[in-house]
Structure formats: C-alpha cells, structure tokens
Amino acid sequence: MLSVFDEVKVSWNIDKETLAEYFVDTKQLNDQYVQFDLVPAIISLEFSALKNVLPSQSNDIKAIILDIVKSTEDVGDYAYECIQNEYLPLIKYSLEAQSNPVDNVASILWKKQLIIKNLIRFQLWY
C-alpha cells in the first residue's frame, strides 16, 4: 500500500494539471486528502484488472493485498473499509451495467473532497 502512496505523491502534480484541463478547479482540492483517498481507489480498480490477467489466482492475490492494506498502521482500517464497502461494490455494479468504473470511482472521490472541504470550513468557523 505504501508503494501506491509513493506513486500517487509523485504523480499528483501532473494528475492535478490534467484534472484542471478537464473540469475541476483544483484550488478547491485538499492535496493531502485527495492523495490519501486515491490509494484505495487505485487498488480497487487494479483488482478488476487482476481478474482479467490472472483469473484463477485473482481471489487469492486480492485477499493477500487486502490483508496488507488492513494491517497498514494508522490508515489500514479506513482504506480497507473504502475498498470493501465503497469502491469494489461500485466497480462491480459499473461493470454489470456496462458503464465506466473509473468515472464512477471519480464521482466518489469528488464527493469525498466536497465533504472534506466543508468539514475544514466548519472547523475553521468554530
């Protein structure tokens, strides 16, 4: 999980520029939280690719990765819950509905950012 974190940190500025080109006012994003929330989203999307590459082993590999995620100090429980309860069910639904799971995962990430932004504003207000 930490290696995914490192990759997200390295690519974040380029990713942020790409988002700005499309539709997102990146000044509204909290970089620290976005980077953190991207990790479970990326891992979840990679699980769907894993089924195509190693169909007979994908469940075992997924279980090992989820164990590693859950055991990651400080952030493991949150990341595990995001993967299991938010992203994987949404990706499964997207694939069954023949829609793009990346778009649907992006919508969850965007909603989380709006919530975080409002919580930070609320904390500053009080």
Side-chain angles (χ1 to χ4, degrees), residues 50-89:
L50 185 61
K51 286 182 181 180
N52 296 329
V53 178
L54 299 167
S56 63
Q57 299 168 316
S58 65
N59 287 336
D60 294 336
I61 295 169
K62 179 179 163 185
I64 292 168
I65 292 171
L66 286 173
D67 284 344
I68 292 168
V69 166
K70 194 168 189 176
S71 66
T72 303
E73 192 174 330
D74 297 327
V75 297
D77 288 336
Y78 173 79
Y80 179 84
E81 292 298 319
C82 286
I83 291 169
Q84 285 290 83
N85 298 326
E86 291 180 69
Y87 299 120
L88 289 181

Side-chain angles (χ1 to χ4, degrees), residues 27-47:
K27 293 174 189 144
Q28 294 182 24
L29 300 177
N30 183 311
D31 290 359
Q32 179 183 2
Y33 291 113
V34 173
Q35 291 175 28
F36 178 75
D37 279 326
L38 275 172
V39 173
I42 291 168
I43 291 171
S44 300
L45 288 166
E46 293 295 334
F47 283 151

Side-chain angles (χ1 to χ4, degrees), residues 94-123:
S94 299
L95 294 172
E96 289 171 355
Q98 297 181 346
S99 64
N100 186 347
V102 175
D103 291 344
N104 295 328
V105 168
S107 70
I108 287 179
L109 291 168
W110 184 247
K111 287 175 189 171
K112 284 183 176 193
Q113 281 305 296
L114 293 177
I115 291 168
I116 289 167
K117 180 179 148 188
N118 288 328
L119 285 174
I120 290 170
R121 188 180 305 144
F122 180 75
Q123 288 174 344

